[in-house]
Amino acid sequence: MCSSFLRGAAFAGLLVIASGIQARELRVCADPNNLPFSNEAGEGFENKIVSLVAQELNAEIRYTWWAQRRGFLRNTLKAETCDLVTGLPANLEGVRTTTPYYRSSYVFVTRTDGPDVQSFNDPVLHQVKIGIHLIGDDGSNTPPAHALSRRGIIDNVRGFMIYGDYNDPNPPARIIEALGKGEIDVAIVWGPLGGYFAEREGVPLKVTPVRPIFDGPQLPMIFDISMAVRKENETLRQEVNAALARRRPEVDAILAAYGVPRLDTGLKQAGRVP
């Protein structure tokens, strides 16, 4: 009887150890209200890509939700409430970033019967109503805002706060809704947001990558996008890199399904990127 008890106890101990091995957590910080990137229901393309990474690491995802605005990294990754953040520019200072998994740019979004805009230098931009995202009043605005200002295109520009009203779903999408309603003629937005919401608006819209892609040495319009870990977490960075490489075809398929305009050597959106 004693030996049976010991065998049973040993087996139970092995189960506990095995369950501990399988219960690895991948702690991710993300915005709960920011489609097409992420939301609390897991409907964003970053949610889907993180799920692929978690599968490769045999880990369960545990999200910490935090609005992705100023202070986001300070209050999440750097505060060690999570170990991984998605959708950040490659080589961002203060963190250690993975190999990029896509490259995109800012885009012009117009109605199909609207102005044909290919470049910030197009004269038509002086004549039409333009919507751009604004970040704040301290000069830390989006590259397109600075590009228009450099050309004296100011009076016909309407700003939409990128943070918006967080009580509404997906606040940055208001600018595309305004375009669909005819309140503006051109929206200049980050590519993934433009591509996703343009396909879901009630009127036909077209998406065109902006030109020039570098409007001066300090004003890029194109960015490689990576995931990020804390600087000291090189092991996790390498694991995530390997996972992204192994699931590359599925990552490309997810980005395509969400209408992300691609400017890298991966899968490109037909008819959207020259």
Side-chain angles (χ1 to χ4, degrees), residues 148-163:
L148 294 174
S149 178
R150 278 160 49 92
R151 291 163 173 79
I153 304 173
I154 298 172
D155 294 338
N156 57 325
V157 174
R158 175 181 169 185
F160 293 78
M161 294 305 296
I162 196 165
Y163 301 137

Side-chain angles (χ1 to χ4, degrees), residues 44-60:
F45 69 80
E46 299 287 7
N47 298 118
K48 307 299 184 185
I49 295 173
V50 162
S51 292
L52 297 180
V53 172
Q55 290 170 19
E56 287 294 316
L57 301 186
N58 194 28
E60 295 181 1

Side-chain angles (χ1 to χ4, degrees), residues 63-200:
Y63 276 107
T64 294
W65 301 110
W66 196 282
Q68 194 163 350
R69 50 187 67 191
R70 287 175 182 168
F72 173 75
L73 284 176
R74 181 180 69 251
N75 290 293
T76 57
L77 188 65
K78 294 182 179 180
E80 300 190 14
T81 61
C82 61
D83 303 308
L84 184 69
V85 171
T86 64
L88 296 179
N91 302 314
L92 184 68
E93 291 185 3
V95 296
R96 192 177 294 275
T97 54
T98 66
T99 301
Y101 51 101
Y102 75 94
R103 174 184 297 167
S104 193
S105 75
Y106 283 91
V107 294
F108 299 114
V109 187
T110 58
R111 293 184 297 277
T112 54
D113 60 354
D116 182 21
V117 184
Q118 302 291 328
S119 165
F120 286 111
N121 296 317
D122 282 351
V124 70
L125 288 179
H126 290 268
Q127 305 163 6
V128 296
K129 293 176 289 185
I130 304 170
I132 58 171
H133 274 138
L134 301 177
I135 299 174
D137 57 3
D138 59 357
S140 299
N141 277 317
T142 59
H146 291 290
L148 294 174
S149 178
R150 278 160 49 92
R151 291 163 173 79
I153 304 173
I154 298 172
D155 294 338
N156 57 325
V157 174
R158 175 181 169 185
F160 293 78
M161 294 305 296
I162 196 165
Y163 301 137
D165 185 347
Y166 209 67
N167 292 316
D168 295 332
N170 315 310
R174 301 294 84 76
I175 189 172
I176 303 299
E177 293 176 4
L179 177 66
K181 294 175 182 176
E183 297 172 3
I184 56 176
D185 302 305
V186 181
I188 310 177
V189 297
W190 176 232
L193 185 144
Y196 180 79
F197 285 108
E199 293 180 353
R200 287 156 178 78

Side-chain angles (χ1 to χ4, degrees), residues 12 14 17 22 29 59 63 92 142 153 173 180 206 210 227 254 257:
L14 289 173
I17 293 171
Q22 295 174 357
C29 286
Y63 276 107
L92 184 68
T142 59
I153 304 173
K206 58 184 176 181
V210 302
M227 298 186 185
I254 291 169

